[in-house]
Structures are given as structure tokens and as C-alpha cells.
Amino acid sequence: MPRTLITGGAGFLGSHLCDRLIEEGHQVICLDNLITGQMDNVAHLIGHDAFRFIKLDVTEHLYIDGPLDYVLHFASPASPVDYQRLPIQTLKVGSLGTHKALGLAKAKGARFLLASTSEVYGDPLVHPQREEYWGNVNPVGPRGVYDEAKRFAEAMTMAYHRYHGLDTRIARIFNTYGPRMRPADGRVVSNFINQALRGEPLTVYGDGSQTRSFCHVSDLVEGLYRLLMSDEVNPVNLGNPKEFTVLDLAHMVLKMVGGPSTIEFRSLPLDDPRVRQPDIGLARVTLGWEPKVQITEGLALTIEYFRQQLMKSC
Ligand code: UDP
């Protein structure tokens, strides 16, 4: 039975990965300091023979007894609202946390997978974004804390690969949505759906002409699993290449949820990327992967999830 450690395992993506790896027959050790992760995301796994939860900050000393086959580093605040609220923690988990997780993988002879991000491309001047593009990041802007932490994490991962011969993988994850996002994490999909469900105005930042490409979490987890099992050491984009404007998304959500909501325009945050769309040519060729869930199908599942969450909280 492979033994796998996931940092940030109680987060949105981390918890879905815990589920998938247990399904694949792994023993999973889930590490989380719960600053943005939530016990609710893994509550169904507590008591399962193949699952162990440790409340720990990965930037602290990391000791795990016994062997490990895989270390997946997913810990980090990940929504712009969260990482701007937690700037120092974000920088620390991307730098010190990545160093600790890499050190653990090296000590155990485990394969390491880094959850990197499309934010390494910043406000991109090349569209769509291919892995060869080096990006356009403002290091001292409000998003710099996340973007630079992840860029450092990629550099550190490649250094461990080159200098220590560590077996590493890097996933550049584009906008992903689905069940277990926090309703208040500030991301566009969770904001719009929750606003529509409450009958409040949908807050479109700027004129809504900026674009994003949204991947359903089930597709993303499939891509991550294939990457983990592949031989690809270079960074691989994982996301859905279907691109929408933010205003398109607002109209889709309004139509699907119904109700009295309107659209309210707010000012555009500083350094908000104008466009974003993954080129997934590399993932198609090396992983035989591409997303399957259409946006309307994925949104319907996510709307249902948030509807239930809202009912529980009433
Ligand atoms: N956005 C918006 N209204 C919201 C939240 C976000 O118009 O209530 C916009 C945001 O300005 C950005 C896009 O939606 O252009 C995606 O934002 P998100 O925070 O989901 O993630 P990002 O892709 O910026 O990291």
C-alpha cells in the first residue's frame, strides 16, 4: 500500500485528493493547520483505516514516522482574498513550507508533487499561456505574496530535483471550482453562486471583460493523479481551456440560479490579470488528459452544493 502525505489536505483541492488517493489504495496522512482548510472537508474520512489527520503548520518542524512514497504539497492560502489577508503566512508556506516538504520527501525517498499555479504567469502578455512562458509578475503588488511564493516554490523544487536527484512533479493549476470551496473565500465562482442563492447582487469587478477559464475539481483531480503517476518533471498546466469573461460567468450563474439578483459593478482590484487561459497541449500529450465537465454541468453541481451548505447554516 503506498503511503502518501498531503499538506493542505483539509483544503478544497487537498481534501478531494485525499479521497482520490484512498480510492486508489493509498494510506493518506493529511496535514493541515486549518487556517483556510476545514475539518468538514475531511470529516467523512475520520476513522477510516487508510486516513490519518495531523494538525500541523508545514513551516514548523516536520517529523513523520515510517516510510513515505509520495509527498504532495498543497498547503497555502489560495484565493486572492485569503492570501492578501494572510500575506506573511502565504510567503512562508510557499518558501519555508516547500523547503520542509521537500526535505521530508528527500529523507524518505518519496516522489514530491508541488501544487503551483497559473499565477506564476502574473498578468500574462502571452495568451493562452504555455509552460515555456516566464510570466509578468509584479513582485511588490498585492498578489506578489502568492505569485512569488509559488515561483520560489517551483525554483526550490527544481533545485531539489537537479541537486539532490529528487523525483519531482510541478502542477500549474488554473482556476478550479466545485464542492468544498469556502462560501466566503472571495473567489468569483463561490461569490457569484452564494450571492445569487441569497438574492443579493452579483459583484462584478471592473467591467467584467477580464477572462478566466474554469475547471471542475473532478477533472483537475484526474489531471493531478495522472501527473503524479507520470514521468514528467517539467511544470504542466492543468486547467480547462474554455475561456469566459467574468461578465459571461455572472450571466450564466444568474440564469441557472434564477431569483431576484442583479449585477453590481465594483472597482477592479490592483494587478487583476486581464486574461487567463491554459494551453494544455503538454498535459494532453504526456498525460492523455483533458477536462470533460462542461461549465453548465459543473456549475449545476456546485450550485447544489452551496444550496445545501446554505440550508445547513440556517
Ligand atoms: N471577481 C469578480 N467578482 C467577485 C470576485 C472576483 O468580478 O466577486 C473577478 C476578479 O476580479 C477576477 C476574476 O473574477 O478578475 C477571478 O477572480 P478570483 O478571485 O476567482 O481568482 P483569480 O483568478 O483572480 O485568482
Side-chain angles (χ1 to χ4, degrees):
M1 221 183 200
R3 204 157 177 256
T4 300
L5 179 127
I6 308 180
T7 76
F12 166 45
L13 297 182
S15 65
H16 284 284
L17 269 172
C18 289
D19 287 342
R20 175 62 187 265
L21 292 173
I22 288 174
E23 265 172 46
E24 299 288 343
H26 292 228
Q27 286 274 351
V28 170
I29 302 171
C30 166
L31 228 66
D32 208 301
N33 66 358
L34 300 175
I35 62 169
T36 59
Q38 308 183 94
M39 270 326 276
D40 273 359
N41 290 341
V42 291
H44 60 290
L45 296 175
I46 301 292
H48 194 298
D49 284 349
F51 183 77
R52 184 169 148 210
F53 176 79
I54 304 176
K55 183 169 184 288
L56 193 76
D57 186 323
V58 64
T59 64
E60 307 289 337
H61 179 70
L62 201 53
Y63 173 79
I64 302 291
D65 53 3
L68 284 175
D69 301 287
Y70 302 98
V71 172
L72 279 57
H73 185 36
F74 276 71
S76 179
S79 82
V81 166
D82 283 342
Y83 61 70
Q84 290 175 47
R85 178 172 62 86
L86 300 163
I88 315 289
Q89 288 94 329
T90 302
L91 282 159
K92 280 178 71 180
V93 75
S95 54
L96 306 179
T98 302
H99 185 213
K100 289 273 196 299
L102 281 162
L104 180 68
K106 176 170 163 270
K108 304 283 186 184
R111 182 175 292 175
F112 177 88
L113 187 146
L114 172 71
S116 186
T117 169
S118 55
E119 285 282 323
V120 299
Y121 302 121
D123 189 3
L125 305 176
V126 169
H127 193 66
Q129 292 78 55
R130 287 167 59 89
E131 289 86 351
E132 288 76 24
Y133 178 48
W134 292 350
N136 177 39
V137 169
N138 174 4
V140 294
R143 301 174 82 103
V145 294
Y146 184 67
D147 303 8
E148 295 295 5
K150 290 290 188 182
R151 288 167 69 95
F152 176 91
E154 287 197 6
M156 190 64 132
T157 301
M158 289 311 289
Y160 265 68
H161 175 68
R162 293 194 182 108
Y163 296 97
H164 291 308
L166 192 72
D167 192 15
T168 57
R169 308 285 180 270
I170 299 175
R172 289 191 179 147
I173 301 169
F174 284 65
N175 295 66
T176 302
Y177 69 98
R180 302 190 193 157
M181 294 178 92
R182 286 192 352 268
D185 85 355
R187 281 188 263 217
V188 70
V189 173
S190 39
N191 269 9
F192 285 176
I193 293 178
N194 282 284
Q195 289 162 342
L197 288 172
R198 291 193 296 253
E200 295 167 2
L202 271 56
T203 52
V204 170
Y205 302 160
D207 62 4
S209 63
Q210 68 273 33
T211 69
R212 294 294 186 271
S213 310
F214 301 100
C215 188
H216 188 258
V217 64
S218 58
D219 281 330
L220 191 87
V221 167
E222 179 63 31
L224 288 169
Y225 184 73
R226 289 187 188 207
L227 176 61
L228 183 66
M229 295 303 151
S230 78
D231 293 329
E232 185 58 60
V233 167
N234 292 307
V236 179
N237 287 340
L238 292 178
N240 191 320
K242 189 104 181 54
E243 185 182 17
F244 298 92
T245 69
V246 165
L247 196 56
D248 288 337
L249 179 74
H251 285 299
M252 271 188 277
V253 171
L254 277 182
K255 192 166 157 213
M256 291 181 71
V257 176
S261 292
T262 53
I263 288 179
E264 201 172 277
F265 291 92
R266 301 264 178 93
S267 56
L268 189 68
L270 192 63
D271 295 341
D272 197 285
R274 284 293 315 150
V275 289
R276 185 181 291 153
Q277 181 190 30
D279 179 320
I280 59 162
L282 181 62
R284 278 199 176 101
V285 171
T286 60
L287 313 179
W289 173 85
E290 63 181 6
K292 301 220 162 10
V293 181
Q294 300 295 321
I295 188 87
T296 44
E297 189 190 337
L299 283 179
L301 294 167
T302 312
I303 290 167
E304 190 44 39
Y305 170 79
F306 281 124
R307 204 189 293 278
Q308 308 248 338
Q309 293 297 106
L310 216 58
M311 270 155 46
K312 269 195 229 163
S313 67
C314 287

